[in-house]
Amino acid sequence: MWTIAVASANPAKINAVKLCFQTNFAEQAITVSGFAVPSGVAEQPLSSVETLLGAQNRLQALKQQTDADYYVAIEAGLDNDMTFAWMLIEHNGKLGKARSASLMLPPAALQLLAEGEQLGDAMDQLFGTSNIKQAGGAIGLLTHNQLSRASVYQQALTLALIPFLNPERF
């Protein structure tokens, strides 16, 4: 049984990790647990560099909080007028990383972000939703639910698993 620790209590992130590992290691029994850990960066990271730092900080905090076979950190942030997330996966000292797909944000959302709002709160305000960041996210709203936060994260997590799927090459 593999234990997988996720540096988040967000159900969308935990579910994406669970689905990713179930898909990529179908024969392996797993248990996935989420842990709220600090990012050490702004609540709404405003650059790729700050977002990556937040993921790195979460990964380190997670490793200090629990023992696991795999440690996973996901940090969402902004890159100019787009949102995306960094994925970090660590196993036995080896690190895999990837960025999720990026999506454009409406000008009204960007304005709210410039005023200090977090993306989930801005999207809730614009779309009349409640706690969208723990559901389909901005991705779901803007793609008319063709994609969800979990589905896009699952894809990026699979990319972050590349060093573990191809250990002979990494």
Side-chain angles (χ1 to χ4, degrees):
M1 170 82 66
W2 286 352
T3 57
I4 300 150
V6 182
S8 178
N10 184 318
K13 292 180 180 181
I14 295 166
N15 189 46
V17 171
K18 184 176 182 179
L19 290 172
C20 174
F21 274 83
Q22 286 174 334
T23 300
N24 286 285
F25 303 102
E27 72 293 343
Q28 180 64 50
I30 63 168
T31 181
V32 180
S33 301
F35 299 86
V37 295
S39 69
V41 299
E43 286 287 324
Q44 181 61 72
L46 298 177
S47 70
S48 180
V49 170
E50 184 181 18
T51 304
L52 178 57
L53 179 59
Q56 292 167 332
N57 291 343
R58 286 186 193 276
L59 192 68
Q60 292 310 311
L62 179 65
K63 289 168 47 181
Q64 293 174 4
Q65 187 170 331
T66 189
D67 288 325
D69 295 301
Y70 286 85
Y71 299 93
V72 181
I74 302 170
E75 185 75 10
L78 299 177
D79 195 358
N80 296 311
D81 64 347
M82 303 183 85
T83 185
F84 75 100
W86 273 106
M87 313 287 151
L88 300 179
I89 301 175
E90 188 173 317
H91 172 64
N92 289 337
K94 184 183 292 188
L95 182 68
K97 65 180 179 177
R99 260 183 71 144
S100 73
S102 300
L103 61 139
M104 290 178 58
L105 293 172
L110 292 170
Q111 180 60 43
L112 290 170
L113 293 170
E115 294 169 7
E117 291 283 336
Q118 290 186 42
L119 180 58
D121 297 333
M123 297 307 284
D124 282 341
Q125 185 176 332
L126 294 173
F127 285 82
T129 53
S130 177
N131 203 17
I132 196 63
K133 67 183 176 183
Q134 292 195 358
I139 296 164
L141 290 172
L142 295 171
T143 65
H144 297 255
N145 295 311
Q146 294 300 307
L147 298 173
S148 69
R149 188 177 193 192
S151 71
V152 170
Y153 283 3
Q154 183 182 351
Q155 180 186 54
L157 286 161
T158 297
L159 296 173
L161 276 176
I162 285 174
F164 311 108
L165 296 171
N166 302 277
E168 70 284 358
R169 303 206 181 273
F170 289 85

